[in-house]
Amino acid sequence: MKDFRKLLSQMTIEEKIGQLTQYNANLFIQSDADITGPMADLGLTKNDLKNVGSVLNFKNAKEVYEIQKKHLEKAPHQIPMVFMMDVIHGYRTIFPIPLALGCSFDMDLVEELSRMAAKEAAAGGIQVTFTPMVDYVRDARWGRVMETCGEDVLLNSRMGAAQVKAFQNGDIKQPDSVATCVKHFAAYGGAEAGRDYNTVEISEHALREYYLPAYKACIDAGVDMLMPSFNTLNGVPSIANEWLMQDVLRKEWGFDGVVISDYNAVGELLQHGVAENLKDAAKLAFKNGCHIEMCSSGYIQHLKELIEESIFTQAQLDEAVLKVLQFKDKLGLFEDPYHGMIPENEEATCLTVEHRALARKGAAECAVLLKNDGILPLSKEVKKVALIGPLADEHEIIGFWACRGRNEESITVAEGICKMIPDAEIMVVKGCGNRFDDCDTSGFAEAVEAAKQADVVILCLGEPQKYAGEGNSRTDICLPGVQTELALAVAKANENTVAVTFSGRPLAIPKLDAAIPAILHMWMPGTEGGNAVADLLFGDVNPSGKLSMSFPKAVGQCPIYYNHMNTGRPKSPAKESRHVGYCSNYIDCGNLPLYSFGHGLSYSEFVYEDLCLSSDEFQAGEKITVSISVRNNSDRDGKETVMLYMRDMVASNARPVQQLIDFKKIEIKAGEIQIVTFEVDETMLRFWNNRNEWVSESGLFQISTGYADHLILTKNLYLK
Ligand code: NOJ
């Protein structure tokens, strides 16, 4: 690592502060004479801009090249800029949204897809991605559930770590590696009522057990940067939250990387009402260790003053600047400010045949077969197919926040199915729209007529992709518009009806479940979505996804999650549908979700047998082996995620009814039996108690396999 002390001694205070700021690319590509508009709004001068250390939201490799080149022509001390962007589920070749990726329970696949994204993004000039987003979440109303991987902390942690590993690829200096930034620290996913940016109030035990571990897992995996969240956490916005940013992040976890604010989050401390003015906001953020301010001007305008007033010292400023310079050096930018990127290579690196094939595989692996009364898979000999619904021939299924992904480059369901069964007659009828206010039912008659004529109906329903993502929370998570009515009318006309559903969040679809014999949930599958639908419906791929987040029966059940407490008045799931007084159930729909976390069908039938523990008692420092035999009781090869759960039966704190402690995805040939083994140790049985310590308590635990409310086999384990 270079010694930057000499460089620091030559830099002016303005040059140093510039390294701690980040602005949008448009500021750097406008004409030199143009100081009105965005630049004036931010209170910036041309002189400020030449010191700025990093850029976000640029168009492509060519633009990065031009901005960097122009910058270096005038840059004091030749310090290169660093270029950052959000690569959430692919760069140009788009794969399923992260919530869907979680459903694969396949970390090798997550790594493969993330490597592909890294290669394309690096060719596009991206040196750092604001990924992984590991905000634990329990409320499907929140628009940003699509960016998370759901309601389980172990899955979240493994997914986050896999993404860090794949993007950074061992050495961020490599031209096809991209540095990562874990976000949004912390508990952004706990927004009250699922409303984006809303207040977060979480007990310390819930924070420690559910919300914090995935950020820590990314730090352990070597993430280089971290972004604090927009929300207040127990009253204090994250970026100004000393307990979070100093006590937990630095002192407890020892995080030593670069911290960048979220977009305008320093400026928003005024709206939160914890800073009187921008100077105050800059003071709070800098004091709590925010190195780079994104898109507000608190540092540029006030940090110098704060040092002159001895609120901060020169040495503190130097430490922050050093951190940024060292990070740029780790990226190799002082030797090669373009990070190996050649603008002419971007097109050839992106959307290749191989990348499309990988996206197709990914989309199929992440889909979840929610219901199948036996109608699926469909025969390729089918003569007449009616493809009905607003998403039957729709390109907008790649998902929100698709970086450089282009809707027009995606494969629609109609295109995928036409290629799969070229000799069949395929009728495509939209039937209705899929926005909230699409109430027009005049297309129903044509849809019903097509359904009557067809051997099989494939209904393609769901949310528009813009209904999830940042700022896109919903109060009702049903199928928007009159899609449910369309589905019921079509299913009445033809009982061979299959629904293929698309969304960026779990949906409440009880009527669809009651009326349609098979439902395949695709989430937002990405560029190759339509081909993946065809692969799954016609059996070329056997579905293997399992839900990363529960689908409620009604939005009023939110937040709903599998790892809930028992309460003092639980009701047995067997009595779910009957009202029994004085228990915790809702009287109108019970407590269980429509489909729980972990649910997902296959065309194979898997039989779980012989759950064995190497010992039924053990103590701290020892390990026991748990084995389960899984038999593929069908004539189709398939994949199965075997999940291991535990329940602490009696403890000084009430404990959840289930906690996932490990999982493995296996491939099993038709008729084959596989023994799956897990190791369990005492650390996996710990919880955060009211004295703020991780502890395990001796006594009885249950070890189970199956999923959530559908545990198949259970054994007792005693911790001495
Ligand atoms: C705001 C979002 O909250 C964050 O996730 C993202 O990384 C930044 N904008 C930059 O695009």
Side-chain angles (χ1 to χ4, degrees):
M1 186 136 313
K2 276 196 181 58
D3 179 10
F4 288 107
R5 297 280 167 192
K6 185 159 168 237
L7 176 57
L8 277 170
S9 70
Q10 294 162 351
M11 289 169 78
T12 65
I13 190 159
E14 288 80 8
E15 287 165 2
K16 288 178 187 173
I17 293 169
Q19 289 302 314
L20 308 184
T21 53
Q22 177 172 84
Y23 291 107
N24 279 309
N26 62 339
L27 291 189
F28 305 93
I29 47 184
Q30 63 195 357
S31 96
D32 280 354
D34 186 6
I35 50 158
T36 55
M39 208 159 110
D41 295 345
L42 286 161
L44 299 175
T45 64
K46 269 197 291 172
N47 212 32
D48 291 330
L49 278 195
K50 82 173 189 319
N51 295 324
V52 168
S54 62
V55 183
L56 84 160
N57 290 342
F58 35 88
K59 278 204 205 88
N60 49 29
K62 191 166 162 274
E63 193 168 287
V64 169
Y65 194 87
E66 277 161 14
I67 294 173
Q68 187 77 294
K69 189 163 166 283
K70 191 169 148 198
H71 169 75
L72 289 173
E73 279 161 11
K74 293 191 201 148
H77 318 288
Q78 291 295 289
I79 303 173
M81 287 172 144
V82 51
F83 291 81
M84 311 191 189
M85 281 271 297
D86 298 274
V87 186
I88 307 296
H89 51 116
Y91 176 75
R92 176 85 171 269
T93 311
I94 303 303
F95 49 83
I97 55 171
L99 189 59
L101 268 191
C103 297
S104 74
F105 280 84
D106 183 343
M107 296 311 122
D108 293 338
L109 177 74
V110 172
E111 281 187 34
E112 239 185 313
L113 291 166
S114 305
R115 272 307 302 139
M116 170 179 86
K119 285 181 190 161
E120 292 193 355
I126 295 175
Q127 297 156 358
V128 180
T129 172
F130 301 120
T131 302
M133 193 276 214
V134 289
D135 298 326
Y136 178 80
V137 65
R138 291 172 163 177
D139 196 327
R141 289 172 292 181
W142 192 44
R144 300 193 80 168
V145 289
M146 59 141 297
E147 287 174 66
T148 77
C149 66
E151 74 193 45
D152 181 68
V153 54
L154 178 71
L155 182 58
N156 242 301
S157 303
R158 288 192 183 169
M159 276 261 308
Q163 289 174 74
V164 170
K165 189 171 157 212
F167 271 100
Q168 300 200 164
N169 202 27
D171 178 6
I172 56 170
K173 218 173 236 172
Q174 295 304 312
D176 65 353
S177 296
V178 176
T180 53
C181 174
V182 62
K183 65 189 189 186
H184 308 85
F185 186 67
Y188 183 27
E192 276 182 0
R195 187 155 59 80
D196 205 3
Y197 316 121
N198 206 6
T199 307
V200 175
E201 295 285 343
I202 299 181
S203 67
E204 186 155 355
H205 108 83
L207 254 180
R208 295 289 185 166
E209 291 186 22
Y210 304 110
Y211 290 86
L212 295 186
Y215 308 109
K216 174 71 163 57
C218 293
I219 292 174
D220 293 343
V223 76
D224 277 296
M225 293 183 60
L226 175 139
M227 182 188 290
S229 52
F230 282 130
N231 53 282
T232 55
L233 178 61
N234 300 333
V236 187
S238 296
I239 199 162
N241 193 319
E242 187 176 344
W243 174 79
L244 190 68
M245 300 306 296
Q246 296 292 356
D247 298 353
V248 177
L249 184 66
R250 264 68 177 222
K251 293 186 195 141
E252 234 184 89
W253 294 358
F255 180 68
D256 193 30
V258 175
V259 171
I260 184 165
S261 82
D262 203 341
Y263 201 105
N264 193 34
V266 176
E268 287 170 19
L269 290 176
L270 275 71
Q271 276 74 32
H272 276 295
V274 298
E276 223 177 297
N277 47 42
L278 196 55
K279 180 175 170 188
D280 224 11
K283 182 171 130 190
L284 281 170
F286 192 74
K287 174 170 162 267
N288 287 300
C290 172
H291 299 111
I292 303 180
E293 179 184 10
M294 183 196 290
C295 293
S296 47
S297 306
Y299 285 8
I300 279 218
Q301 288 183 21
H302 302 290
L303 209 45
K304 184 174 173 191
E305 223 175 306
L306 288 164
I307 291 167
E308 284 163 0
E309 291 167 10
S310 304
I311 307 284
F312 299 116
T313 61
Q314 275 283 357
Q316 282 172 298
L317 175 66
D318 283 0
E319 275 317 299
V321 178
L322 186 63
K323 184 70 60 196
V324 173
L325 295 177
Q326 284 172 340
F327 177 57
K328 289 183 174 181
D329 188 37
K330 195 170 172 195
L331 275 163
L333 298 180
F334 286 94
E335 288 86 51
D336 175 9
Y338 305 97
H339 203 247
M341 172 268 288
I342 299 166
E344 293 69 42
N345 288 353
E346 178 174 355
E347 270 306 305
T349 311
C350 296
L351 211 68
T352 60
V353 174
E354 294 75 33
H355 287 186
R356 274 195 175 271
L358 187 53
R360 179 172 183 164
K361 174 175 119 177
E365 297 281 317
C366 296
V368 182
L369 182 60
L370 296 173
K371 179 179 177 188
N372 186 13
D373 286 353
I375 181 171
L376 291 177
L378 301 172
S379 159
K380 289 186 192 170
E381 307 307 315
V382 65
K383 298 267 176 311
K384 255 189 181 182
V385 177
L387 262 178
I388 297 175
L391 298 178
D393 198 13
E394 177 57 67
H395 285 282
E396 289 196 22
I397 52 168
I398 63 174
F400 192 85
W401 217 322
C403 206
R404 300 276 172 265
R406 299 177 190 168
N407 287 318
E408 65 273 19
E409 287 171 348
S410 79
I411 306 292
T412 71
V413 175
E415 289 167 351
I417 301 226
C418 287
K419 263 187 275 157
M420 179 62 74
I421 43 169
D423 299 331
E425 183 189 334
I426 297 178
M427 299 167 275
V428 181
V429 183
K430 195 166 173 194
C432 65
N434 65 343
R435 319 222 159 222
F436 305 130
D437 51 359
D438 279 331
C439 304
D440 184 3
T441 55
S442 61
F444 280 24
E446 193 195 349
V448 166
E449 195 42 47
K452 280 186 185 154
Q453 288 172 26
D455 302 323
V456 166
V457 179
I458 301 170
L459 266 171
C460 300
L461 311 169
E463 293 182 315
Q465 62 188 11
K466 293 187 200 89
Y467 279 20
E470 188 175 351
N472 294 325
S473 296
R474 295 180 61 190
T475 59
D476 189 353
I477 53 172
C478 63
L479 287 169
V482 288
Q483 295 181 87
T484 306
E485 289 79 350
L486 173 72
L488 300 185
V490 164
K492 210 164 145 203
N494 189 332
E495 60 181 17
N496 286 332
T497 294
V498 175
V500 180
T501 46
F502 298 82
S503 68
R505 57 162 58 75
L507 296 171
I509 45 170
K511 287 189 183 157
L512 206 66
D513 174 74
I516 311 290
I519 306 175
L520 176 68
H521 192 64
M522 295 303 298
W523 301 104
M524 284 293 161
T527 311
E528 284 289 319
N531 280 332
V533 169
D535 291 342
L536 290 157
L537 291 181
F538 291 91
D540 282 3
V541 177
N542 191 347
S544 64
K546 305 253 185 205
L547 290 180
S548 54
M549 196 169 175
S550 304
F551 275 46
K553 288 186 199 130
V555 70
Q557 289 180 310
C558 294
I560 186 166
Y561 45 95
Y562 83 93
N563 44 2
H564 58 83
M565 302 286 190
N566 204 30
T567 81
R569 293 185 175 187
K571 194 167 77 169
S572 110
K575 292 180 188 157
E576 176 73 3
S577 58
R578 276 192 294 133
H579 172 226
V580 183
Y582 304 116
C583 68
S584 72
N585 276 31
Y586 295 110
I587 59 171
D588 53 356
C589 83
N591 277 11
L592 291 180
L594 185 60
Y595 310 113
S596 345
F597 171 85
H599 170 75
L601 306 172
S602 160
Y603 298 150
S604 307
E605 184 202 2
F606 299 111
V607 179
Y608 284 50
E609 289 157 328
D610 302 327
L611 174 69
C612 294
L613 274 53
S614 57
S615 167
D616 57 10
E617 58 174 40
F618 79 140
Q619 61 190 19
E622 291 178 352
K623 281 189 171 142
I624 59 149
T625 304
V626 178
S627 62
I628 304 135
S629 139
V630 183
R631 183 157 49 92
N632 183 343
N633 198 28
S634 70
D635 54 9
R636 271 177 188 273
D637 298 350
K639 290 184 183 172
E640 173 72 342
T641 298
V642 183
M643 302 184 184
L644 193 70
Y645 290 87
M646 73 97 164
R647 177 170 181 180
D648 189 344
M649 300 307 288
V650 181
S652 53
N653 282 31
R655 302 298 305 143
V657 293
Q658 295 305 332
Q659 274 174 268
L660 185 67
I661 53 170
D662 205 350
F663 58 83
K664 277 185 187 163
K665 189 160 186 177
I666 52 168
E667 287 190 53
I668 321 188
K669 296 239 170 301
E672 195 194 355
I673 296 179
Q674 276 189 32
I675 310 288
V676 180
T677 59
F678 299 99
E679 289 207 318
V680 175
D681 64 34
E682 171 271 333
T683 60
M684 296 158 89
L685 309 180
R686 290 184 185 170
F687 64 93
W688 186 263
N689 72 10
N690 287 353
R691 286 186 299 280
N692 291 338
E693 317 152 314
W694 282 109
V695 291
S696 60
E697 292 176 356
S698 61
L700 186 62
F701 291 78
Q702 278 184 346
I703 299 292
S704 312
T705 188
Y707 70 91
D709 305 303
H710 303 263
L711 297 177
I712 308 168
L713 300 167
T714 296
K715 278 272 164 75
N716 287 339
L717 173 65
Y718 193 84
L719 178 68
K720 290 193 274 192

